[in-house]
Amino acid sequence: MTQTVNLTWDDLDRAAEANRLATVARRAGGQPSTSDVPAGRSRLLGVDAARGAALLAMIAVHSLPESDAAGQPTWWFTAFAGRAAAAFAVLAGVGIAFLTARQRVRLTAGSGPVAALVVRALAIGAIGLALGYADASVASVILPFYAVMFLLAIPLVFLPTWLVAVTGVVAAAAAPVLQHLLLPRLPEPTYDNPGFAQLVGDPVALLTELTVTGEFPAMTWLAYLCAGLVVGRLALTGRRAILWMLGTGAALAVAAPVASSVLLHRYGGLQQISVTQPTSGLDATQIAEFLAFGGDGSTPTSTWWWLAVDAPHTGTPLDLLATTGSALALLAVLLLASRVARSLPRWVISLLLVPLAAAGGMALTLYTAHILFINSDLDSFAPGTGYLAQVVAFVLFACAWWATAGRGPLEGLVSAISGGARRLAARDGRRLNVGAGGPAGGVARTTGPGGTGTSRYAPEPRRYRVEPPAARWRPG
């Protein structure tokens, strides 16, 4: 077993720089030599910390009151609603980039990554369906929607980065329009947490809700995965890329609400929404609540002006842009924090980042535990007390597990299954290639850039550790 040593920030910086040099060497046209292989398999600390922050924000949305005594949104609901789930989706795209060596996958080497993504989607979907008994009025389980998103993202790994970016922009602009056109022609969604009974009883209706009409429709949320995949292919250890991401994210997070306000107030959008209120299915009070608290994945279709709204979970272009921006800004800030060089500030920052990263490294396990807890008799606390109890318990558990076992329980299960499928598919693809007379050298490169192996930013293992160089390592 590899010996785990105390992590220092210099270790992370050296490992990150080695990762960058290895990527440059691969792009230059070859597999790096053994000496080029990074000295660590460390995850980027800021990425896991961002995932941990998104997890705690999502727990806050589920556990704390949405409105105050005056009926207005609370500050935490205003800050976190919509943004936490979007950050998870963007980071899922980053994870897909890590899973595919942060590069475009070649068609000839795609069997392994495709198998891994398919099996990962099925495993996450199964976990989500197992939570189908949970009360949707308490928390809508996002995992079945993620499963469909992962399947829709498979073609993206074969595209160059610029085309993934274009696809994301098109999805953010066109998917809400398509949804607006389709909603009147599709069955009304149940908004219940789907279970295995729905999968067996009416799979078409379930797929329709997960893709188009539900609270986290995969068709529109594909924009988040595209953004994350583009970001994951950047040199996240470089300050220029992080600052670019921070500037872009902050600009989107500010510009989208401003544009929505201008469209609704200066150009008459609110007036048109009020005029068409009788055909919207909402009364005046419900419209006001919708604009303040957001929707369930879509907007009414009584007028196209609804697409100018940026409220949480409305799935409009401006909602997608604003929440994508906040996710990018969050990730950039935490990546910058992990680069602080002065010893005292670095030590203080580590007190925050390391627990967040430990929780983010096992977000699937902790999210599942959260859903189980708030749907059980154990959740008998006042909202604030219950939230603090979950945060303390989850962070302490994550730190203890991270320090001893590393990968989270559910993360280990999903990684083992998807990793096995990846190796099996790669082996079968190699056998078919050899049988067809393909060059052995081309087959060997299935573990190279864009293939199924040597991503130094792969999502596992969960511990931040520095190890001796290894000639080859397969993620998962």
Side-chain angles (χ1 to χ4, degrees):
M1 181 176 179
T2 305
Q3 182 180 6
T4 301
V5 299
N6 292 331
L7 173 70
T8 68
W9 294 89
D10 291 335
D11 292 332
L12 280 175
D13 291 341
R14 285 193 295 269
E17 178 64 14
N19 284 333
R20 186 186 68 79
L21 294 175
T23 299
V24 171
R26 287 195 295 268
R27 288 178 177 172
Q31 186 77 7
S33 64
T34 301
S35 61
D36 295 326
V37 178
R41 299 190 285 189
S42 334
R43 294 162 66 94
L44 287 173
L45 188 68
V47 174
D48 273 346
R51 190 176 288 111
L55 173 68
L56 300 187
M58 182 179 287
I59 294 174
V61 173
H62 292 165
S63 303
L64 299 176
E66 296 180 357
S67 59
D68 57 22
Q72 298 301 312
T74 56
W75 70 264
W76 51 80
F77 184 84
T78 301
F80 302 143
R83 294 184 177 90
F88 261 124
V90 171
L91 290 167
V94 175
I96 292 174
F98 291 176
L99 194 67
T100 53
R102 298 177 57 248
Q103 297 184 41
R104 176 185 182 183
V105 176
R106 303 192 318 275
L107 288 175
T108 55
S111 58
V114 169
L117 286 172
V118 170
V119 173
R120 187 174 292 262
L122 294 176
I124 291 175
I127 296 172
L129 294 177
L131 297 173
Y133 76 93
D135 186 354
S137 65
V138 176
S140 296
V141 178
I142 199 173
L143 298 181
F145 297 88
Y146 268 8
V148 178
M149 292 180 215
F150 270 88
L151 295 177
L152 292 180
I154 289 175
L156 299 177
V157 303
F158 297 101
L159 302 180
T161 304
W162 69 267
L163 190 51
V164 175
V166 170
T167 303
V169 172
V170 171
V177 174
L178 182 60
Q179 185 187 45
H180 192 87
L181 293 171
L182 292 176
L183 284 176
R185 297 166 175 80
L186 294 174
E188 186 75 16
T190 64
Y191 294 117
D192 290 330
N193 286 323
F196 291 105
Q198 291 90 328
L199 177 63
V200 175
D202 197 345
V204 174
L206 176 59
L207 183 60
T208 300
E209 186 162 350
L210 295 178
T211 307
V212 183
T213 63
E215 184 149 1
F216 315 102
M219 180 178 68
T220 54
W221 280 52
L222 189 63
Y224 294 134
L225 289 185
C226 289
L229 186 55
V230 170
V231 167
R233 291 182 180 180
L234 296 177
L236 294 181
T237 56
R239 181 170 299 176
R240 179 180 300 179
I242 298 174
L243 291 176
W244 173 87
M245 183 166 46
L246 177 61
T248 302
L252 290 175
V254 172
V258 170
S260 175
S261 179
V262 170
L263 290 171
L264 293 177
H265 294 90
R266 181 174 298 181
Y267 289 96
L270 279 180
Q271 182 179 359
Q272 291 299 316
I273 288 174
S274 299
V275 168
T276 59
Q277 176 265 321
T279 59
S280 68
L282 304 175
D283 59 31
T285 301
Q286 291 172 327
I287 288 178
E289 292 178 350
F290 189 100
L291 295 174
F293 293 94
D296 294 313
S298 60
T299 65
T301 58
S302 55
T303 173
W304 287 100
W305 280 102
W306 277 108
L307 295 185
V309 170
D310 71 328
H313 293 299
T314 51
T316 66
L318 294 177
D319 172 36
L320 295 172
L321 291 177
T323 49
T324 298
S326 64
L328 296 179
L330 170 68
L331 177 57
V333 167
L334 293 176
L335 287 172
L336 286 175
S338 68
R339 293 174 56 91
V340 173
R342 294 174 180 261
S343 58
L344 180 59
R346 175 179 287 192
W347 180 81
V348 173
I349 289 172
S350 68
L351 293 179
L352 173 65
L353 287 190
V354 171
L356 278 179
M362 53 189 307
L364 177 60
T365 296
L366 297 183
Y367 173 81
T368 302
H370 161 66
I371 295 297
L372 294 173
F373 173 77
I374 62 177
N375 283 275
S376 72
D377 295 335
L378 296 175
D379 188 14
S380 58
F381 304 97
T385 304
Y387 174 68
L388 290 177
Q390 290 179 81
V391 170
V392 171
F394 290 164
V395 169
L396 290 177
F397 174 79
C399 290
W401 191 280
W402 167 77
T404 55
R407 183 184 298 135
L410 290 182
E411 286 77 8
L413 174 63
V414 172
S415 295
I417 297 173
S418 63
R422 180 179 198 151
R423 290 187 290 271
L424 180 62
R427 189 181 307 119
D428 290 344
R430 185 158 50 246
R431 186 181 302 116
L432 289 174
N433 198 350
V434 172
V443 174
R445 286 182 60 83
T446 58
T447 58
T452 63
T454 63
S455 168
R456 307 307 167 187
Y457 293 88
E460 292 83 21
R462 298 297 178 193
R463 285 179 291 180
Y464 300 88
R465 56 191 180 187
V466 177
E467 300 171 336
R472 288 191 184 276
W473 173 69
R474 292 182 179 178

